[in-house]
Amino acid sequence: MSDHSARSTARSTALFDQASAVTPGGVNSPVRAFRAVGGVPRFMASGDGCHITDVDGNTYLDLVCSWGPMLLGHAHPQVTAAVQAAVSRGTSYGTPTEAEVLLGEEIVARTPVDKVRLVSSGTEATMSALRLARGFTGRAKIIKFAGCYHGHVDALLAQAGSGVITLGIPGTPGVTEATTADTIVLPYNDQPAVTEAFAQYGDQIAAVITEASPGNMGVVPPQDNFNAFLAQTCRAHGALFISDEVMTGFRITRSGWYGVDGVEPDLMTFGKVMGGGFPAAAFGGRAEIMAHLAPEGSVYQAGTLSGNPVATTAGLTTLRLATDEVYAKLDETSATIQRMVATALDKEGVPHVIQAAGNLFSVFFVNSSDSSRPIRDFAGANAQVLPRFAAFFHAMLDAGVYLPPSAFEAWFVSAAIDDDALAELESALAPAAAAAAAVQN
Ligand SMILES: Cc1ncc(COP(=O)(O)O)c(C=O)c1O
């Protein structure tokens, strides 16, 4: 496997070969494989604050933060101490524990949900929320939006086809047409498409699920009160509005995107930050709906490691440390980084659009004719000059900054980023912008 890197990648390369022999593509989650940008994925050995260090001893400023969870940075001393103490008491009992009650209370206090159920991944959270919505309403159909990712739930992997209303077509082999037959995929931010779908299927629609503010096609915030419109439309037709805050929850504000637009969903899903770097996620909502879950109600949902005492301790400690001051710092850091990136790209004449949702943001490498137009849906996000992003990504990596290895992802900041880290970023940006400028469209 070749690599473009100026840094040593000998040990990462050897591990990638070893990994490829025992696991498909050498990774346990596809984007990690660097397929979108080329080259060898870096195998990380440690993290400290806003830095991660790979097995070859290269250190990087981390702007991925484990795809969101590491809000406070890596190996935060208080989180580490709490986790060590929890581990020393035993790691799983398969019984209720105090930490999961406290984490549930923290989530209920921060968000509009009355009750939560803890699970182990965001995928489980959205899958279970859908099942509950269908069980509660007695209806089958769901609406999702193209470009929104809700984990690898079969029914939610359906992609949009052409036309305003597209009945789900499986987006990946292994997902059957029967599984997605009840999934309606619509363009994001498209209110007439939603109105039309409800006009046609209104009494069959169990739920609309959307990312609260999408970050999985790059950051594409809701426009023209899209969430409020969805909530109202659902209410008018007896469907549930599910807001997926797995990425945004506890990251953008104390609650998540809810803290920005205040639209109250019927059900919400959470993950990432609330696990503090461990596998913990949740779904929650109105008490009346949550009462339909087993053992109180008849909609079944369960998990051997749900509410795991180590994961819930990490999540609870993280959330308790995530104060208003932390969120103010994250906002400021994010705004500074966005300005620095824009300045560097402008200097080299690289057309781009930077979009933010609170402290989440992404940089779209667009054609020059598109650089003054906001990206409002998946089609817009798809119109990027992808080789330009790849060149930029690798130049940043060579200069010691770790970005998401895909042009369709958000950049994540941590509260551990300080002025020294920003200076590191500044010196990486100049060669990276030049590398992007060198790519002809
Ligand atoms: C909005 C959203 N929902 C759900 C998921 C799935 O979460 P997990 O990867 O923990 O299964 C993700 C993961 O990135 C996400 O961003």
Side-chain angles (χ1 to χ4, degrees), residues 17 29 33 47 60-61 76 79 85 94 101 109 123 154 217 225 238 255 265 272 284 287 331 342 356 375 379 399 418:
D17 286 344
S29 198
Y60 306 89
L61 170 62
H76 187 284
V79 178
V101 181
T123 296
D154 282 4
M217 48 181 144
N225 298 317
S255 56
K272 297 191 188 263
D331 285 350
I375 287 160
D418 56 14

Side-chain angles (χ1 to χ4, degrees), residues 337-355 361-366 371 384-385 388-393 395-396 403 411 425-426 428-439:
I337 295 178
Q338 290 172 52
R339 270 197 309 274
M340 287 165 66
V341 173
T343 304
L345 293 177
D346 282 342
K347 205 164 165 197
E348 294 289 343
V350 179
H352 63 276
V353 172
I354 298 181
Q355 293 193 163
F361 68 97
S362 57
V363 182
F364 297 91
F365 288 81
V366 294
S371 61
Q384 290 183 78
V385 185
R388 217 168 259 160
F389 173 78
F392 181 79
F393 168 86
M396 292 291 274
L403 298 179
W411 298 20
L425 180 65
E426 179 93 65
L429 279 169
V439 175

Side-chain angles (χ1 to χ4, degrees), residues 1-16:
M1 182 54 79
S2 67
D3 190 33
H4 328 61
S5 178
R7 299 176 152 215
S8 166
T9 58
R11 284 181 55 78
S12 276
T13 304
L15 271 177
F16 193 40

Side-chain angles (χ1 to χ4, degrees), residues 29 66-67 120-126 148-153 156 209-216 244-248 269-272 279-281 409 412:
S29 198
S66 184
W67 302 96
S120 300
S121 71
T123 296
E124 262 185 274
T126 57
C148 282
Y149 177 67
H150 303 288
H152 60 99
V153 180
L156 295 176
I209 184 168
T210 182
E211 287 186 58
S213 176
N216 282 295
D244 181 354
E245 292 242 27
V246 167
M247 182 184 287
T248 48
T269 53
F270 308 105
K272 297 191 188 263
E409 302 287 354
F412 298 91

Side-chain angles (χ1 to χ4, degrees), residues 117-119 121-135 153 156 242 267 269 282-283 290 293 299-302:
R117 169 64 56 83
L118 300 187
V119 292
S121 71
T123 296
E124 262 185 274
T126 57
M127 177 187 78
S128 307
L130 278 191
R131 182 183 307 142
L132 178 57
R134 284 169 160 159
V153 180
L156 295 176
I242 306 175
L267 290 172
T269 53
F283 62 102
M290 294 301 284
L293 264 192
V299 176
Y300 194 71
Q301 186 282 327

Side-chain angles (χ1 to χ4, degrees), residues 217-232:
M217 48 181 144
V219 172
V220 178
Q223 292 184 347
D224 305 324
N225 298 317
F226 193 55
N227 286 339
F229 162 79
L230 293 177
Q232 259 164 23

